[in-house]
């Protein structure tokens, strides 16, 4: 793919741009980073912790981002929760 003469605006979080910048540069494009989001853990884990303690009450969990999945499983690990009790299905 030749991106010569193309400028691509990257709006991802700063720590997620290296790979796409390399790809754009490799294909002769110009990458402009303009992060529009920051990813960080919540200031207060209480609502998450309460929900994790009551997972048996939920029929399902919908994640809208990879980061949500990552934080969810990190928090489960923090509490030494048994992940195998989740009936995990991939839906694309």
């Amino acid at each position: 793919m030749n991106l010569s003469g193309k400028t691509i605006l990257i709006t991802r979080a700063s720590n997620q741009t290296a790979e796409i910048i390399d790809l754009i540069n490799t294909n002769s494009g110009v990458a402009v980073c303009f992060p529009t989001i920051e990813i960080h853990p919540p200031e207060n884990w209480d609502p998450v912790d309460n929900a994790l303690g009551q997972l048996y009450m939920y029929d399902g969990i919908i994640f809208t981002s990879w980061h949500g999945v990552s934080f969810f499983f990190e928090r489960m690990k923090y509490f030494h929760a048994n992940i195998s009790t989740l009936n995990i299905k991939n839906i694309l």
Side-chain angles (χ1 to χ4, degrees):
M1 169 184 346
N2 185 353
L3 298 175
S4 183
K6 307 281 185 195
T7 300
I8 293 104
L9 182 66
I10 303 170
T11 59
R12 301 191 82 182
S14 297
N15 63 339
Q16 298 180 310
T17 59
E19 187 176 334
I20 194 150
I21 288 171
D22 289 344
L23 185 60
I24 292 167
N25 290 339
T26 298
N27 289 284
S28 304
V30 176
V32 175
C33 295
F34 187 79
T36 58
I37 189 170
E38 288 183 15
I39 309 298
H40 54 83
E43 292 178 15
N44 181 350
W45 281 100
D46 289 345
V48 176
D49 295 345
N50 290 335
L52 286 175
Q54 298 176 5
L55 283 178
Y56 66 92
M57 296 178 60
Y58 295 90
D59 290 328
I61 304 170
I62 297 173
F63 296 100
T64 58
S65 74
W66 177 89
H67 297 289
V69 173
S70 179
F71 281 126
F72 174 82
F73 283 106
E74 282 179 30
R75 199 64 180 173
M76 286 194 72
K77 238 195 250 183
Y78 175 81
F79 283 112
H80 305 288
N82 187 352
I83 295 170
S84 66
T85 61
L86 300 176
N87 184 10
I88 298 174
K89 296 178 182 171
N90 290 329
I91 300 175
L92 301 176

